[in-house]
Amino acid sequence: MKTKAFRAALPYTLPICIGFLFLGMSYGFLMHSQGFSFLYPMLMSLFIFAGSMEFVTANLLLLPIFQPLHAFLLTLMVNARHLFYGLSMLDKFKNLGWKKPYLIFGLCDETFSLHCTISPPDGIDRGWFLFFTTLLNQFYWVLGSTLGALLGYVIQFNTKGIEFVMTALFVVLFLEQWDQAKDHRPALVGIGCSLVCLLVLGSKQFLLPAMGLILLCFLFLRRRTPIKEVTP
């Protein structure tokens, strides 16, 4: 039963494997360029497994003073979409026993897409199919990030500017969400509030006030006119 479920899940995850390996390797290179051992990206990929937040965490670890409130709010803002993912998976993950906690933990964007669009073939246990889909995707990410960090010891090149990969990642995510959503008000609110706080407070102090201002604007918009068709 397990073997059949693994073989059934594997082909669906192979396209994700290619993307995760390359993006994970860029993350590993980034961590190595900032002076971290390969154990950091490997363990972070195992226990955090939130690609965009892992890139952000690389910078948080380099701050001279740890700011827990900053880290908490930043994590909430970056990964708030997972709240919507989780709600939509309540029925699909029902009655799966010990697999359920891991399926919740491993629910990244790509795995969520597979869970929504693919049903297990006839004769394949649903729980094991979902489990192996999630496990394989995380394995690809852990492998990519670890390989990138290890190759950083072997391949010597100028890594100046590699941290821009994080900016590029968020730009791509933003453009993807913009393309999918019909209501662009949330995106425009985020851009506007961030620019205002950046201009008023400067690049070192604008982040938390911007997140607070964005939240207030969302509450105001929701009270006046519900925001519809926002892609999480």
Side-chain angles (χ1 to χ4, degrees), residues 95-112:
N95 300 323
L96 292 183
W98 62 267
K99 302 181 190 70
K100 183 176 179 179
Y102 176 69
L103 292 175
I104 294 171
F105 164 76
L107 193 62
C108 64
D109 298 355
E110 292 75 11
T111 302
F112 172 76

Side-chain angles (χ1 to χ4, degrees), residues 43 54 80 91 93 102-103 110 125 176 194 203 223 229:
L43 294 176
E54 288 179 47
D91 290 335
F93 291 170
Y102 176 69
L103 292 175
E110 292 75 11
D125 181 79
E176 181 181 1
S194 299
S203 60
R223 295 184 70 177
E229 297 190 45

Side-chain angles (χ1 to χ4, degrees), residues 12-190:
Y12 294 109
T13 66
L14 289 180
I16 296 174
C17 172
I18 298 172
F20 271 17
L21 284 178
F22 281 101
L23 188 57
M25 288 177 67
S26 68
Y27 168 61
F29 275 119
L30 173 65
M31 292 292 287
H32 175 77
S33 70
Q34 295 184 342
F36 292 101
S37 161
F38 77 94
L39 292 174
Y40 279 82
M42 183 179 71
L43 294 176
M44 287 166 63
S45 298
L46 279 171
F47 296 110
I48 298 178
F49 191 44
S52 52
M53 194 59 214
E54 288 179 47
F55 279 93
V56 174
T57 304
N59 290 328
L60 292 178
L61 291 173
L62 295 174
L63 292 176
I65 300 176
F66 177 63
Q67 303 177 27
L69 179 61
H70 181 171
F72 171 77
L73 291 176
L74 189 58
T75 304
L76 184 62
M77 292 293 291
V78 170
N79 292 301
R81 65 191 184 280
H82 290 276
L83 297 173
F84 300 93
Y85 291 173
L87 290 173
S88 63
M89 290 289 109
L90 286 176
D91 290 335
K92 184 155 287 193
F93 291 170
K94 192 175 181 180
N95 300 323
L96 292 183
W98 62 267
K99 302 181 190 70
K100 183 176 179 179
Y102 176 69
L103 292 175
I104 294 171
F105 164 76
L107 193 62
C108 64
D109 298 355
E110 292 75 11
T111 302
F112 172 76
S113 298
L114 290 181
H115 288 345
C116 287
T117 58
I118 298 172
S119 298
D122 294 337
I124 301 298
D125 181 79
R126 180 173 62 90
W128 283 112
F129 180 81
L130 295 175
F131 174 80
F132 283 122
T133 300
T134 305
L135 182 66
L136 284 167
N137 285 341
Q138 184 180 13
F139 170 74
Y140 302 145
W141 179 256
V142 174
L143 179 62
S145 59
T146 305
L147 281 176
L150 290 173
L151 287 174
Y153 292 100
V154 180
I155 303 175
Q156 302 296 325
F157 65 96
N158 186 1
T159 58
K160 183 179 180 180
I162 195 174
E163 63 275 5
F164 184 76
V165 71
M166 185 177 69
T167 303
L169 173 65
F170 281 108
V171 169
V172 170
L173 290 174
F174 174 82
L175 293 176
E176 181 181 1
Q177 298 303 318
W178 178 277
D179 184 60
Q180 293 179 2
K182 294 183 179 180
D183 189 343
H184 294 150
R185 285 178 296 168
L188 294 174
V189 166

